Amino acid sequence: MLEVKNLKKRFRLDNKTIKENKKKNQEVVDVREEGHWFNAVRDVSFSCGSGEVLGLLGPNGAGKTTSLRMLSTALQPSEGNIMINGDDVVAQPVAMRRRIGFLSGTTSLYHRLTVRENVQYFGRLHGMNEDELDKEIQKVFDLLDIHSFADKKADTLSTGMKQRANIARTVIHRPEVVVLDEPTTGLDVISAKTILDFIESYKGSNVPVVFSTHHLHEVEKLCDRVVLINHGTTQFNGSLQAFKALSETGNLYDVFVSLVEKEVAVTC
């Protein structure tokens, strides 16, 4: 079980930005800017149960990536709580890092190593012994259709192959929570489908999966729950069915646009 409550993160603005903001019409200044601070995430809350897939939505710059980086322990929250199976992520980030699988937009591979060598390396970093590592590699490579390029060096791979390999290194240690930041962005149809099928394989397991996306058809296909963030706050938090019910047609695009434009928070 993953629980996120009242998450906040702010960054100090540089002097140049502060001076420029003073010259602007206050109607066009970002609502998240407050004096010397930029409140990237102002109040984000949601939960994701074991075996559930949660889709994180929002316009560009809404605070999705910052929220996911806090979930992964890459960023320390300014305020708020993150709990995994009752344990406090914020209080013990180093220990909890072993229990999280996080794919960011900057996750990468060692180019001179093969895919197999990369995944083995990260598995060993997490303390896996060789027998369990070999078994898990077989399983993950099956699910992500990696065997055909498993022994190719990373710098020779296509974009889709690299992303599948990145996901393999993200989950090789059997994390308790999987967090994926826009895992299918820029991929061809076949690679994207492989990754979506991989995410779907977690449904009904004991692992919550959170992934951000701009592709609403992915949400409709995979998600049990939906969270929409805008201007650093949760605008919607509830089931996929409740999200669709906000539009008479059940069209996800219509719901997304209406929530972003109205900025009315809804929790279901």
Side-chain angles (χ1 to χ4, degrees), residues 139-175:
K139 174 184 172 183
V140 172
F141 281 19
D142 283 346
L143 290 169
L144 288 165
D145 194 18
I146 286 176
H147 290 293
S148 62
F149 57 90
D151 297 310
K152 290 185 177 181
K153 288 187 176 182
D155 62 359
T156 68
L157 303 179
S158 68
T159 300
M161 290 175 179
K162 286 180 180 176
Q163 188 70 327
R164 281 183 271 166
N166 280 328
I167 292 175
R169 61 153 279 195
T170 296
V171 303
I172 191 60
H173 60 295
R174 300 189 294 265

Side-chain angles (χ1 to χ4, degrees), residues 89-110:
V89 174
V90 178
Q92 43 185 339
V94 176
M96 296 300 290
R97 199 167 294 156
R98 289 180 173 271
R99 298 164 62 178
I100 301 166
F102 177 52
L103 175 81
S104 74
T106 57
T107 298
S108 60
L109 306 166
Y110 290 106

Side-chain angles (χ1 to χ4, degrees), residues 216-233:
L216 295 178
H217 68 275
E218 296 179 356
V219 173
E220 188 157 30
K221 172 181 170 60
L222 290 176
C223 292
D224 303 288
R225 300 187 60 79
V226 177
V227 171
L228 189 150
I229 298 174
N230 191 29
H231 291 149
T233 64

